[in-house]
Amino acid sequence: MKTINAFLAGLVAAALSLAISCNTSSVLSSAAAKPTLNFDKVSIRSLDAEGITFNCNYSVKNPYPIGISLSKVAADVSCNSSKLTSISANEGVSISANKSKSNAFDFKIPYDSIISFAKTYKESKTLPFTVKGNVALGNLPLISSLNLPFTKNFDVPVFKPNLKISNPKLVLPSVSEITKSLTDGGMSLSKAGSLAKSIVTGQKIDESALSGVNLNMKLNFNLDVANDGGSDWKYALKSCGIKADGVSDILSLDTSSASEIGSSGGSIPLSATLNTMTAGKFIAQLLNKSGNNPTFSLDSALSFPSLPSYASNLPLTCTKELSLSKIAR
């Protein structure tokens, strides 16, 4: 009986040894085909008031019969061999056996850096940038780690959006129109006439004076659009809102005349309809030129016709403050 058990144990050991040997042989044969990296593209992820955020998309192919991990990404971003910034990120991404997996990382280039490089290299439209680095892989058979190098060249548009609010003007109804609205709201004719004259002549009024009054006024202004760089671009205003004390957002803002603006820049005339029933406090602030300054929120879209690899109508959101003291009547 002991002889039979010993014989069976020997068979099991031999089978395990054969299995381990076969698995090791499989890994060793796969080791000849090392993991590879394919750098797909560099795209613009987003724009903001400070600069451009780029997205770098790549994929790693794992030829091994076991899973491996992507442990780190390190890269330098440079323009004409002049280093701008370094990127380092611990990724922690797993890649299954015999599979490929896409991944991405972001980096930001400030507008001021773009303009500075453009002056240095006397480039007006685009700059040649390079992102160069490596992806570190771990959990590899036979070796502790492996670095896969990558290099990708991409063009950066030379631009810096310059948006300004100019020529604000509060357009008032006539004395008779204001008087009628005040009397319709329950005010006596003599008091309404006196208040109407105070409003038109620029005298200060009490914020409560417009309570219960239904009266429209217009706030007209221009959005001046300029590109501080020399790239070919197209600017389009999508929407504009106003936030101020006593009103969260004025939705009746007319952007119908907001035509697309090219590289030479231009001005977009805008008009907001203000009603005393919903924005009475804000209107009183405009009339008295007192209180916190209103803020304009701008939703825009930018395109770069000379760089078709980048998507069109890239969103750009920013805010601009308007000094109450500059509002004409």
Side-chain angles (χ1 to χ4, degrees):
M1 185 67 178
K2 291 181 178 180
T3 303
I4 293 174
N5 288 338
F7 176 70
L8 291 174
L11 285 177
V12 172
L16 288 172
S17 176
L18 179 61
I20 293 171
S21 175
C22 289
N23 186 58
T24 303
S25 175
S26 175
V27 171
L28 286 172
S29 63
S30 299
K34 293 181 179 180
T36 55
L37 181 147
N38 181 44
F39 204 117
D40 300 319
K41 65 177 181 177
V42 177
S43 60
I44 295 179
R45 184 179 184 88
S46 63
L47 305 170
D48 60 26
E50 287 75 40
I52 313 173
T53 297
F54 289 90
N55 177 259
C56 299
N57 192 279
Y58 65 95
S59 59
V60 176
K61 183 178 181 180
N62 175 20
Y64 298 141
I66 61 172
I68 61 176
S69 62
L70 194 162
S71 59
K72 188 176 182 180
V73 174
D76 289 334
V77 181
S78 59
C79 176
N80 280 328
S81 299
S82 296
K83 181 178 172 181
L84 172 67
T85 187
S86 292
I87 304 160
S88 182
N90 294 323
E91 296 292 294
V93 177
S94 297
I95 307 169
S96 302
N98 299 308
K99 298 288 184 180
S100 294
K101 189 161 189 177
S102 296
N103 200 30
F105 62 90
D106 296 341
F107 61 89
K108 188 172 184 177
I109 301 181
Y111 298 125
D112 289 342
S113 296
I114 295 172
I115 299 300
S116 178
F117 276 120
K119 291 178 179 178
T120 300
Y121 299 107
K122 297 181 180 179
E123 298 285 351
S124 61
K125 294 185 180 294
T126 62
L127 286 169
F129 272 73
T130 301
V131 55
K132 182 177 182 181
N134 64 77
V135 169
L137 302 176
N139 189 31
L140 297 168
L142 305 181
I143 57 176
S144 60
S145 64
L146 175 67
N147 288 328
L148 303 180
F150 61 83
T151 300
K152 189 71 173 180
N153 298 319
F154 61 102
D155 290 324
V156 174
V158 179
F159 85 107
K160 180 181 180 181
N162 190 337
L163 309 177
K164 295 179 180 178
I165 301 295
S166 68
N167 299 324
K169 183 177 182 180
L170 185 62
V171 181
L172 302 176
S174 65
V175 172
S176 60
E177 289 172 326
I178 297 174
T179 300
K180 184 178 184 307
S181 294
L182 294 174
T183 55
D184 288 346
M187 190 177 294
S188 66
L189 181 59
S190 59
K191 186 176 180 181
S194 176
L195 179 58
K197 290 180 181 178
S198 295
I199 291 174
V200 171
T201 56
Q203 299 178 47
K204 290 186 178 297
I205 65 169
D206 190 274
E207 289 185 2
S208 63
L210 300 176
S211 177
V213 177
N214 187 4
L215 178 65
N216 285 334
M217 299 185 186
K218 289 280 190 179
L219 177 61
N220 297 335
F221 57 96
N222 294 332
L223 173 64
D224 298 329
V225 180
N227 175 10
D228 287 347
S231 66
D232 296 324
W233 79 334
K234 289 184 178 180
Y235 175 90
L237 177 66
K238 297 300 183 183
S239 64
C240 177
I242 304 174
K243 293 184 178 181
D245 288 349
V247 58
S248 59
D249 200 8
I250 298 170
L251 300 179
S252 56
L253 189 67
D254 183 10
T255 59
S256 59
S257 60
S259 57
E260 194 172 67
I261 290 179
S263 300
S264 59
S267 185
I268 300 172
L270 296 170
S271 180
T273 300
L274 310 176
N275 184 271
T276 53
M277 297 290 287
T278 56
K281 182 179 179 180
F282 179 48
I283 292 174
Q285 289 175 338
L286 295 178
L287 292 169
N288 296 332
K289 297 187 177 182
S290 63
N292 295 324
N293 293 327
T295 300
F296 292 78
S297 57
L298 307 169
D299 289 324
S300 316
L302 297 182
S303 301
F304 302 98
S306 61
L307 296 173
S309 61
Y310 295 135
S312 299
N313 296 319
L314 293 160
L316 170 65
T317 300
C318 65
T319 59
K320 294 294 177 180
E321 186 177 283
L322 175 63
S323 174
L324 288 171
S325 63
K326 294 182 179 180
I327 298 177
R329 290 196 294 180

